[in-house]
Amino acid sequence: MGKTCTDLFAGIDCTVIGNADEEVGGIAYRSDRVQPGDAFFCIVGLTADGHSFAQDAIDRGAKVLVVERKVYLADATDVTEVVVADTRKAMAAASANFYDHPSKDFSLVGITGTNGKTTTTYLVEHIAHVAGKRTGVIGTVGVRIGGAAEKTAHTTPESPDLQQLLARMRDERCDVVAMEVSSHALDLERTWGTTFAVTAFSNLTQDHLDYHHTFEAYFEAKARLFSKDYPAKRVICIDDKWGKELLRRCSTNEDSIVTTGFDTSAQIHPVDVRYAPTHTTVELDVRGSRYRFDYPLVGRFNVENVMCAFGIGLQLGFSPSVIVEALEEAPQIPGRLERVSVSCDGGVSVFVDYAHTPDALEKALASIMALTRGRTICVFGCGGDRDASKRSIMGKAALAADFAVVTSDNPRHEDPLAIIDDIVGGMGAGQGRFAVEPDRRAAIALALAHAKPDDSVLIAGKGHEDYQLVGDEVLSFDDRVVAAEELNRAFGGLLDDADAAVTLADPYGQASGEN
């Protein structure tokens, strides 16, 4: 499949210097991945300028350079240059052109917000599946196309990768695709040129301020998905001021909107909620009609996710009865309040959750405390090379537990002990109620050593991840597997490897066993 420059840049404001009929065989944004015949987009990044790699791209066979300023190279005489104002935005639009705008061929749901995106995408996928649709999912946990899973590098892939993925989903005849849309993706134009059927907002709490710097800038990045740049039906949780502001803007634009939330003015809101250790019973008011049902997820924040998914289902045209039927058998989401089950746990309940923001940690702890007869113990840390301002706030949030163990998360290129010091700086009021153990396995073992029957342990921060990032190393580490091993070590006596296996959640009912 190829496109001429004229076709590739249709609808894009640009100046073509050279052969407008030059055929492009692919799109590249890294010079080391250029294939002969590609168009190379010189992206001006946060740490490097792609214009500096133009010669390398030509040496590898690039026939078209897309630039923000003309590049003068001795070897570029037979290379077509396309000058644009913004290479990122042009790359996204050209990628959509290259793959013939695949998002127009199915219903694409874009979900944004700080917390709840992953769970909501999987709930939407399940609703669509029960409705008889072929589905796809794109997000933090990875990609699924019609039930086949694969990993991705970003929550929302770079625009050429995203459009290629959407094209695969089109070719696999997907009807509904649910995608997490990150603030980075919106700010970096990864989704530009993509057509959404529905966009949804969950909430906004502190995260990524190392990148966005202010809450306002963080919000405005998310809000782009609800602007005229991305026309669609909307689902908006109005429980915080940011959701209410989105509602105001979308109402001004006369968008089709379904509001959700505990706020009784929301079109979908709970009338009654009863929490249990294995499920939740909820009665929802949905535009004046009442629906009472059980679903196998726990915690208040999952009520928010269920309401959001319900609203998306309505905007996709599914009947309330089909939505309720699907939610009653909702899948366990990988690493989202996922319970670790072993044959002998000493009466201690262990949950693994991806909570890596102060708000998410508070909500996860509150949910577990509401289900726990005894004490709640928390194991957590903070990632390196990320928003350092939230570390002390995370430390303070963890004090909601009866006891906390501060440990290493994904330190990346930072000193783990320095990260821990930042966290402990917010825990001054909790002297005697927390311990520090930098080794994550040892920290999990320490938490279990403190636990007694009827206690619960929350291992927070990494969720579904099966690795730990230390410097340039990617170490094998899965909180769920390690917790199962330590549970067996603490309460199960001498067991063989087969007895120590843990069943990991698969949202599609296909369990995988790991030691």
Side-chain angles (χ1 to χ4, degrees), residues 101-280:
H101 299 272
S103 57
K104 292 183 177 181
D105 293 327
F106 48 77
S107 294
L108 179 62
V109 178
I111 301 167
T112 197
T114 306
N115 302 311
K117 297 188 296 297
T118 298
T119 296
T120 305
T121 56
Y122 278 91
L123 292 177
V124 170
E125 188 281 339
H126 187 64
I127 291 169
H129 178 73
V130 170
K133 305 298 183 181
R134 187 164 173 81
T135 59
V137 175
I138 303 171
T140 307
V141 176
V143 169
R144 291 189 74 96
I145 305 176
E150 54 193 72
K151 293 185 178 181
T152 56
H154 299 290
T155 296
T156 312
E158 290 287 356
S159 57
D161 307 319
L162 174 61
Q163 295 302 327
Q164 182 184 46
L165 181 56
L166 295 176
R168 288 176 54 203
M169 291 179 164
R170 173 195 61 205
D171 297 344
E172 290 283 342
R173 301 187 181 281
C174 287
D175 302 299
V176 176
V177 174
M179 177 169 75
E180 296 181 51
V181 183
S182 68
S183 58
H184 290 77
L186 289 161
D187 192 59
L188 296 173
E189 308 290 3
R190 292 177 191 165
T191 54
W192 184 253
T194 302
T195 300
F196 291 91
V198 181
T199 65
F201 173 80
S202 59
N203 51 61
L204 196 80
T205 61
Q206 181 165 346
D207 201 12
H208 304 307
L209 296 192
D210 55 324
Y211 178 87
H212 296 289
H213 304 301
T214 67
F215 255 107
E216 290 70 22
Y218 182 31
F219 169 70
E220 291 300 338
K222 297 282 191 187
R224 282 199 65 193
L225 194 59
F226 299 83
S227 70
K228 292 181 178 179
D229 287 342
Y230 295 98
K233 294 180 179 180
R234 316 296 189 188
V235 176
I236 302 172
C237 177
I238 58 172
D239 281 339
D240 63 27
K241 68 175 185 178
W242 309 106
K244 289 182 171 65
E245 173 58 18
L246 279 184
L247 173 61
R248 184 193 68 76
R249 296 185 187 187
C250 292
S251 297
T252 299
N253 292 337
E254 299 183 339
D255 292 340
S256 169
I257 309 166
V258 171
T259 55
T260 69
F262 280 85
D263 188 320
T264 56
S265 69
Q267 293 172 346
I268 300 176
H269 65 267
V271 176
D272 182 45
V273 184
R274 299 185 182 182
Y275 302 102
T278 57
H279 67 280
T280 302

Side-chain angles (χ1 to χ4, degrees), residues 151 340-342 464-467 476-482 484-485 488 496-505 511-515:
K151 293 185 178 181
V340 177
S341 298
V342 295
H464 63 282
E465 294 176 352
D466 58 3
Y467 57 84
S476 177
F477 197 101
D478 189 316
D479 282 348
R480 300 164 295 179
V481 174
V482 171
E485 291 170 350
N488 278 318
D496 7 352
D497 289 342
D499 293 325
V502 57
T503 298
L504 303 184
S512 60
E514 290 190 20
N515 291 329

Side-chain angles (χ1 to χ4, degrees), residues 326-391:
L327 292 172
E328 285 178 328
E329 52 183 38
Q332 168 64 59
I333 315 302
R336 271 62 179 177
L337 274 192
E338 184 176 346
R339 186 163 182 170
V340 177
S341 298
V342 295
S343 57
C344 185
D345 57 18
V348 177
S349 298
V350 178
F351 297 87
V352 171
D353 194 81
Y354 191 54
H356 60 282
T357 68
D359 179 72
L361 184 59
E362 287 176 5
K363 288 179 176 178
L365 282 171
S367 295
I368 289 175
M369 291 170 74
L371 305 173
T372 302
R373 294 180 184 177
R375 300 178 308 147
T376 298
I377 300 167
C378 177
V379 180
F380 78 106
C382 289
D385 301 337
R386 296 294 186 268
D387 183 5
S389 66
K390 72 180 181 184
R391 293 173 185 170

Side-chain angles (χ1 to χ4, degrees), residues 56-69:
D56 185 46
I58 292 172
D59 294 343
R60 293 174 185 268
K63 299 299 293 181
V64 175
L65 293 178
V66 187
V67 298
E68 293 181 7
R69 58 184 184 273

